[in-house]
Amino acid sequence: MKIQHIFFDLDNTLWDHRKNAYLTIKTLFEAQEITLKYNIDFEEFHAVYHEINEKLWEDIRDGLIGKEYLREHRFYDTFKHFGVENKELSMYFEEHFLDKILNHNELVEGAEYILEYLKSKHYTLHIISNGFKEVTERKCILSGIAHYFHTITSADSVGVRKPNPEIFEYSLGLSNAKKEESILIGDDWIADVVGSQNFGIDVIFFDVYKENRQDEGLKAIRHLLQIKEYL
């Protein structure tokens, strides 16, 4: 059956979370004069934060922790790495990070073009995100891409995250889409590719970080414009 419904992951597939997070943390870092007060280099701080945050998100995806644990620990553990154990400071970063990140709404290169292209081809577009519900929809609205999507599913709406099949089931039900007429595009190997394959829908792996995964028959791209090769 011909593909009619395209489901996109949001963060780092369309909305450039890594870039927007970097800019946000840098602003907070400078506002609090962290280098002056604690002699911490920002690039080193961000590298440690990124590693800690990625691991915590993997733990959330795997059901090992909840979002409150992540919010309590990602900045606290980063500062602790540099010998600064300051709960108040880390919570300042956490609370302002979630608010201020929406001041930065950089999209992944080619995102708006490919959404317009797919819309012109009469595909019905959707979002399936592992992000927090209170942030996911605002990211779409503030970056100017919300109008492209017929449905937006965030993990908090379902209570589980990709690769759990329940979130795919929920999103397809919301959109009245059949598995055989659907495809997902995402950058996370476990959440997006393995999740889609186990659920039984086609997938395009956005290999933006050049992981070079070897999987026979896998559709893979390194730039969003390459979606045109498949759709």
Side-chain angles (χ1 to χ4, degrees), residues 6 15-16 21 23 25 49 90 107 115-116 120 150 209 224:
I6 302 174
W15 197 84
D16 197 338
L23 293 171
I25 297 169
Y49 164 83
S90 63
L107 295 172
L115 291 172
E116 192 63 39
S120 74
H150 182 64
Y209 302 110
L224 289 176

Side-chain angles (χ1 to χ4, degrees), residues 48-169:
V48 171
Y49 164 83
H50 177 72
E51 185 175 339
I52 288 171
N53 188 55
E54 289 288 297
K55 178 60 170 64
L56 289 170
W57 272 107
E58 288 175 7
D59 289 346
I60 280 186
R61 180 197 67 202
D62 297 340
L64 300 176
I65 62 172
K67 70 176 183 179
E68 290 308 317
Y69 184 91
L70 176 140
R71 294 193 61 186
E72 289 173 9
H73 282 271
R74 57 180 168 185
F75 285 107
Y76 182 80
D77 291 356
T78 303
F79 276 110
K80 186 177 178 181
H81 174 87
F82 293 96
V84 180
E85 295 190 50
N86 187 325
K87 197 75 171 179
E88 185 178 349
L89 179 63
S90 63
M91 286 313 297
Y92 168 89
F93 267 73
E94 179 61 36
E95 290 165 7
H96 285 77
F97 174 76
L98 287 178
D99 184 44
K100 301 296 185 184
I101 194 171
L102 295 175
N103 292 337
H104 303 282
N105 282 288
E106 297 286 336
L107 295 172
V108 173
E109 185 178 10
E112 200 154 11
Y113 174 90
I114 202 64
L115 291 172
E116 192 63 39
Y117 167 81
L118 295 171
K119 182 181 177 182
S120 74
K121 291 288 200 178
H122 306 294
Y123 291 105
T124 304
L125 308 181
H126 311 272
I127 291 286
I128 305 180
S129 172
N130 271 358
F132 302 150
K133 185 180 190 301
E134 63 269 26
V135 179
T136 298
E137 293 182 4
R138 291 176 66 196
K139 286 178 177 177
C140 292
I141 293 167
L142 293 173
S143 64
I145 61 174
H147 67 283
Y148 289 108
F149 303 107
H150 182 64
T151 66
I152 297 175
T153 299
S154 61
D156 289 357
S157 303
V158 194
V160 295
R161 287 175 161 75
K162 297 175 291 184
N164 191 306
E166 288 181 38
I167 191 169
F168 295 97
E169 190 76 61

Side-chain angles (χ1 to χ4, degrees), residues 174-213:
L174 194 64
S175 58
N176 294 315
K178 297 181 175 67
K179 288 185 181 183
E180 58 269 24
E181 62 187 23
S182 302
I183 193 167
L184 182 134
I185 301 167
D187 70 298
D188 188 292
W189 180 259
I190 300 296
D192 298 318
V193 178
V194 174
S196 295
Q197 290 174 338
N198 288 346
F199 180 66
I201 63 172
D202 203 359
V203 61
I204 296 174
F205 177 42
F206 183 23
D207 189 16
V208 66
Y209 302 110
K210 299 179 177 59
E211 296 180 46
N212 293 314
R213 299 275 187 168

